[in-house]
Amino acid sequence: MKIDPSDLRRVSVFKEATDDDLSLFVENSILRMVEEGEFFFFQGDPAKYFYILVSGKAKLLQSNPAGQQVNLRTINEWQMFGALGAVRPDAIYPATAQALEPCTALAIESVFLHDALQTRPYLNFGLMQLMTGYIQEMQERYRELATERVERRIALTVLRLAAQIGKRSGGEETMVELPLSRQDVAEASGTTIYTVSRVLSDWERRGLVETGRERVLIKNPHGLVQISEGLDQ
Amino acid sequence: MKIDPSDLRRVSVFKEATDDDLSLFVENSILRMVEEGEFFFFQGDPAKYFYILVSGKAKLLQSNPAGQQVNLRTINEWQMFGALGAVRPDAIYPATAQALEPCTALAIESVFLHDALQTRPYLNFGLMQLMTGYIQEMQERYRELATERVERRIALTVLRLAAQIGKRSGGEETMVELPLSRQDVAEASGTTIYTVSRVLSDWERRGLVETGRERVLIKNPHGLVQISEGLDQ
DNA sequence: TGTCTTATTTGCGCCAGCGCAAAGAGGGAT
DNA sequence: ATCCCTCTTTGCGCTGGCGCAAATAAGACA
């Protein structure tokens, strides 16, 4: 597989990059394939590389000492991840990255980005915008987890995942397909597979979604928005 | 009150700044006093200024539509807050900032920092380090909220607050004083004042802390660490 | 010193959501 | 077509923690 440097411009941080810069990054990258369920890196490893997902989907997760997991973020094509190491020289990955589907990704040494940041202001800005986005998302999700009931949280989570990794489904207007197991949704909304299953079954009875093995099809996004805002019942 | 530019070097972002730069920031700042309980800015306001806390303590909080609050971060002297506006041009504050004590703070226009970032690489790096720190803290707290029991979460919260805003108390070795109400702790750990009260009373019976009105004195930090790691009982 | 306000404690009842366990369903491999 | 593995569903019982309400304590202020 060959990566055209100009493809990199789909990465938000590289939106403003020159062609030369893009070529430079591609030349200094390694293409890595990761099987479904396998890992890019583990929480605690030295953050030697950062990644750009070329195809597939992945998730960032964190485990507590007892091994319970939470999903921090879902990663789609042309998103950058594991880039904190470029900012802190001795950094370790604060989370684990796992492939949700068979993935290909460009791996680039953190120091390479670190050095590039020194001389390319646009990269600094792009990276900071990315970071402020994460901060805001994490703050919101934290508040949701602290203050909202499960059903609402699951609705918010499903909607967020739909925006991040959903595929418009069929010929239909607003149907969105999500390749996620109950486990994935539970980890992303801070609950259990049992509760997710019960809630999804209920939604299915109400015609809001269609579910299947490792699959959620959103038939009525507006209905989910109403639930997420507590406007239903 | 007069601010000596060199005091600004205590702000992590300005660690590497030149004297000239520091003076420039001070000259372009307004000194704002905020009474205890009053607000620097509200979630949703246009992020026109960022702040550097000169004295006092403050907190960043977020409210959900129903008005329930969660504490996102506690701010101590010489910490910068509300700086996201410098990165996104049309930004609004994603959280509310409220004084925990009478506060004085330097207010500087976001665009001033924005412009300064263009020409001063050290600022970019400082700000990014700050951001990665927040991201990691929020990720951890999110995981804790999702996977840990309340008592453990309260222990983790109290220890974190002790590190961020605690004052070494008395002549004693490891006693730390926190000027926080049950409400503050509840909002910071994602629970209720009732549960915080019950847990603190229990800890007091076990000799780990001493409590008072809007006050927590940690007598045995190691004991709290044990609780936070689930090593007690 | 007495009054008022606000913070804290604690008894009590309740229920949302957890998690076991067992049954059911989907899909890949041979 | 059948086996097998993994994912999902759902009944059931349980409990951690919520939150009301009432009592108590600690300051603030006159």
Side-chain angles (χ1 to χ4, degrees), chain A residues 76 156-168 176-178 180 218 221 224:
Chain A
N76 211 355
L156 286 159
T157 301
V158 168
L159 289 170
R160 185 147 39 216
L161 290 168
Q164 290 174 354
I165 60 166
K167 280 198 183 66
R168 194 127 298 155
V176 181
E177 176 97 32
L178 290 171
L180 295 170
I218 304 177
L224 291 192

Side-chain angles (χ1 to χ4, degrees), chain A residues 149-151 190-192 194-195 198 213:
Chain A
R149 289 270 150 92
V150 262
E151 185 181 20
T191 179
T192 63
Y194 312 110
T195 300
R198 282 184 259 264
R213 193 189 167 95

Side-chain angles (χ1 to χ4, degrees), chain B residues 22-38:
Chain B
L22 295 181
S23 300
L24 210 57
F25 274 98
V26 171
E27 280 159 25
N28 281 277
S29 71
I30 307 160
L31 196 61
R32 246 194 91 184
M33 318 273 223
V34 176
E35 301 288 306
E36 178 168 345
E38 293 305 306

Side-chain angles (χ1 to χ4, degrees), chain A residues 1-232:
Chain A
M1 184 164 175
K2 199 92 169 52
I3 303 296
D4 182 342
S6 70
D7 281 341
L8 274 193
R9 206 163 273 121
R10 301 174 62 182
V11 180
S12 68
V13 171
F14 293 126
K15 227 176 352 193
E16 321 258 298
T18 62
D19 289 341
D20 284 354
D21 279 0
L22 295 181
S23 300
L24 210 57
F25 273 97
V26 172
E27 281 159 26
N28 281 275
S29 71
I30 307 160
L31 195 62
R32 247 194 90 183
M33 319 273 225
V34 175
E35 302 288 308
E36 178 169 344
E38 293 304 306
F39 300 88
F40 289 92
F41 51 76
F42 292 91
Q43 180 177 347
D45 287 353
K48 206 176 158 210
Y49 294 90
F50 75 94
Y51 292 84
I52 294 165
L53 195 62
V54 175
S55 70
K57 293 187 199 311
K59 65 180 181 183
L60 280 183
L61 59 93
Q62 207 170 64
S63 313
N64 74 356
Q68 287 171 84
Q69 301 186 344
V70 291
N71 281 14
L72 298 174
R73 187 153 68 88
T74 313
I75 298 152
N76 211 355
E77 291 166 15
W78 303 111
Q79 290 189 341
M80 192 185 264
F81 60 104
L84 295 200
V87 178
R88 308 190 164 234
D90 57 339
I92 56 175
Y93 296 114
T96 297
Q98 183 177 23
L100 288 171
E101 306 174 353
C103 286
T104 52
L106 293 176
I108 302 174
E109 284 196 78
S110 301
V111 287
F112 187 78
L113 178 57
H114 184 273
D115 293 347
L117 284 169
Q118 312 286 351
T119 52
R120 291 165 180 82
Y122 73 86
L123 279 181
N124 284 289
F125 251 75
L127 207 50
M128 280 199 270
Q129 297 223 357
L130 208 60
M131 287 182 189
T132 57
Y134 296 157
I135 292 173
Q136 291 190 28
E137 181 180 331
M138 287 309 298
Q139 287 179 346
E140 264 174 45
R141 288 180 56 186
Y142 183 82
R143 175 180 52 78
E144 287 167 12
L145 194 51
T147 66
E148 309 296 353
R149 289 270 150 92
V150 262
E151 185 181 20
R152 211 185 280 198
R153 259 163 38 217
I154 295 174
L156 286 159
T157 301
V158 168
L159 289 170
R160 185 147 39 216
L161 290 168
Q164 290 174 354
I165 60 166
K167 280 198 183 66
R168 194 127 298 155
S169 170
E172 288 309 319
E173 346 86 83
T174 50
M175 309 243 283
V176 181
E177 176 97 32
L178 290 171
L180 295 170
S181 68
R182 304 297 172 274
Q183 182 79 38
D184 292 321
V185 177
E187 286 172 8
S189 53
T191 179
T192 63
I193 51 170
Y194 312 110
T195 300
V196 170
S197 176
R198 282 184 259 264
V199 168
L200 288 184
S201 295
D202 181 44
W203 289 351
E204 186 150 30
R205 259 171 251 125
R206 292 157 65 185
L208 297 167
V209 300
E210 211 175 283
T211 64
R213 193 189 167 95
E214 297 178 301
R215 193 180 80 92
V216 178
L217 175 70
I218 304 177
K219 291 167 70 180
N220 178 358
H222 187 245
L224 291 192
V225 170
Q226 287 205 314
I227 289 172
S228 78
E229 291 171 349
L231 301 174
D232 61 323

Side-chain angles (χ1 to χ4, degrees), chain B residues 63-82:
Chain B
S63 313
N64 73 355
Q68 288 171 82
Q69 301 185 345
V70 290
N71 281 15
L72 297 174
R73 187 152 67 88
T74 313
I75 297 153
N76 211 355
E77 292 166 15
W78 302 111
Q79 290 190 340
M80 192 185 263
F81 61 103

